Amino acid sequence: MDALNARDNPFATRRVERCLVFDPTLVGTRWSDLLERWDQLGRRACVVGPHGAGKSTFLDAFVDRLDVPVVRFFFNRDKRCLSDDDLHKMEDGRGRIWMADGDTHLGFSERRRFHRASREAAGFLSARHRTRGLPVLLRLKPDLALARVLLHRAHPEGAPSLEPLVVEAFRRRRGNLRHLWLDCYDHLAGRR
């Protein structure tokens, strides 16, 4: 097989983001059920799962189903403090829904400040690895069957030949779908 350039690679990040939008039916639920549960939880919850399980993808799709404007916050190992931009969004975000990706990376005092301020938001949804006191809206745990379905959605014509790679990468990457797609990209780019 000839190596593909980035423009033609079906596992290029932008292509994967476009074709692998979150589909609740693949994890045994529906959008209507998730929205109903969201309301039952007082619009304050978390989506939990391991690295690469689809938490951020879920947040991206959930935004489109909400009836109130959303303010997004992103934190990770390299961003463990509230920035000036975050503080500005916190101030202006009163009455909006706050979506935090990785807020558990914040240091203790910063996290406490952030969570206290979030009480004035119209809702709070956090993507994290553990609940840390918030009720769970959705728990994500990718399995090999899900990886195969997503492979066929991302690259239908090439899926049969990539299945062995996906099986091996799923095991090696411990279920991290994000890294699995990067392995598929590298394989088709001729890097493996």
Side-chain angles (χ1 to χ4, degrees):
M1 174 191 338
D2 292 332
L4 293 177
N5 62 37
R7 183 181 68 246
D8 299 324
N9 194 316
F11 296 98
T13 302
R14 287 182 192 234
R15 286 182 178 212
V16 168
E17 287 172 354
R18 274 196 315 270
C19 76
L20 296 184
V21 295
F22 187 84
D23 179 353
T25 62
L26 295 178
V27 294
T29 190
R30 301 175 305 186
W31 283 118
S32 58
D33 295 336
L34 289 166
L35 289 165
E36 182 179 331
R37 179 152 171 75
W38 167 246
D39 285 333
Q40 289 170 349
L41 295 172
R43 294 186 164 208
R44 217 168 158 76
C46 63
V47 55
V48 294
H51 290 286
K55 299 179 299 294
S56 299
T57 303
F58 171 78
L59 291 183
D60 292 342
F62 199 62
V63 165
D64 296 334
R65 282 148 183 87
L66 297 173
D67 55 359
V68 175
V70 172
V71 179
R72 294 285 298 264
F73 297 90
F74 298 92
F75 307 102
N76 57 35
R77 289 181 193 150
D78 297 326
K79 185 176 183 247
R80 302 175 72 86
C81 296
L82 296 167
S83 67
D84 288 341
D85 184 51
D86 293 326
L87 296 171
H88 181 67
K89 287 193 291 187
M90 288 164 58
E91 184 67 30
D92 291 346
R94 293 183 178 133
R96 297 179 179 201
I97 292 173
W98 291 15
M99 285 194 176
D101 204 330
D103 59 308
T104 55
H105 287 287
L106 289 171
F108 176 77
S109 61
E110 296 272 288
R111 187 170 60 245
R112 195 165 91 191
R113 179 181 184 185
F114 182 68
H115 287 220
R116 280 187 179 162
S118 76
R119 293 178 190 154
E120 295 188 37
F124 180 75
L125 184 60
S126 172
R128 39 176 73 171
H129 301 292
R130 293 181 308 248
T131 61
R132 291 230 173 153
L134 278 175
V136 176
L137 175 64
L138 182 65
R139 188 175 302 276
L140 297 173
K141 178 139 178 55
D143 60 21
L144 192 51
L146 175 62
R148 285 182 168 133
V149 168
L150 294 175
L151 168 65
H152 284 269
R153 287 186 178 187
H155 191 37
E157 61 280 354
S161 65
L162 287 174
E163 275 209 32
L165 169 71
V166 166
V167 169
E168 189 274 327
F170 186 86
R171 180 194 55 75
R172 186 170 35 83
R173 297 296 192 171
R174 297 182 185 151
N176 186 322
L177 297 175
R178 184 182 316 112
H179 288 151
L180 187 148
W181 306 135
L182 292 172
D183 286 352
C184 289
Y185 178 93
D186 286 346
H187 176 78
L188 293 178
R191 295 181 184 161
R192 291 189 75 205

